[in-house]
Amino acid sequence: MTTPKNEMMKVALTEAKEAYDAGEVPVGAALFHKDGTLIASERNRVEELNDPTAHAEMLVIKKACTALETRYLDDYMLCVTLEPCAMCAQAISLARVGVLIFGAYDIKSGGTTNGARVFDQKTCHHKPELYDGILETESARLLQTFFKEKRGVDTV
């Protein structure tokens, strides 16, 4: 891998900041080829699109698969600022993403190292190589600030 994980995660953080500015839960995602080439990046758009499935991970997977004309992303690395939920973890598995890199942990709704632990289930057909806690502080701080402003509470 020619591009360090922190540098790739910064692209996802830029998307998360754009989501924050748009009033969306600040989660960003970026997909890179294993050689470090950026393929696609996205942010949460749930409110904007009135679509509960418009998570950053789902949108970036769709965008990349369309651009690459494939449904499999074996040779790609997905960076996400927050641990993917169960829905997104299942999509990551179905797309056969080669590497998953995420920042903040989602104790409440996570689907990889917390909660449903999709990749640990017998029914999971593909488990990506996983790197967690990359730029965790920056990712968590953005989420905490967002929820503090929206609801007056600290939540991640």
Side-chain angles (χ1 to χ4, degrees), residues 9-131:
M9 186 59 79
K10 287 179 183 176
V11 175
L13 270 168
T14 297
E15 290 287 347
K17 289 172 185 170
E18 289 181 19
Y20 179 95
D21 292 342
E24 298 274 359
V25 174
V27 177
L31 187 85
F32 295 84
H33 185 268
K34 64 183 177 182
D35 69 6
T37 303
L38 176 64
I39 304 302
S41 63
E42 266 295 348
R43 62 176 177 82
N44 271 3
R45 295 180 186 274
V46 172
E47 301 298 329
E48 174 188 338
L49 300 176
N50 294 313
D51 180 354
T53 68
H55 292 194
E57 303 95 307
M58 300 291 282
L59 296 173
V60 84
I61 287 169
K62 287 178 187 179
K63 186 186 272 188
C65 287
T66 298
L68 298 167
E69 298 181 343
T70 185
R71 59 175 268 197
Y72 298 123
L73 301 171
D74 308 77
D75 292 332
Y76 298 87
M77 301 175 288
L78 178 63
C79 297
V80 187
T81 57
L82 179 64
E83 176 183 355
C85 69
M87 173 185 68
C88 292
Q90 187 63 41
I92 289 164
S93 177
L94 291 171
R96 296 186 189 166
V97 171
V99 177
L100 171 61
I101 301 163
F102 73 79
Y105 295 89
D106 190 345
I107 304 301
K108 189 175 178 183
S109 301
T112 61
T113 60
N114 292 289
R117 298 184 185 209
V118 170
F119 304 141
D120 294 339
Q121 304 304 315
K122 292 180 196 176
T123 55
C124 183
H125 297 291
H126 170 78
K127 179 179 181 173
E129 190 175 332
L130 179 65
Y131 298 93

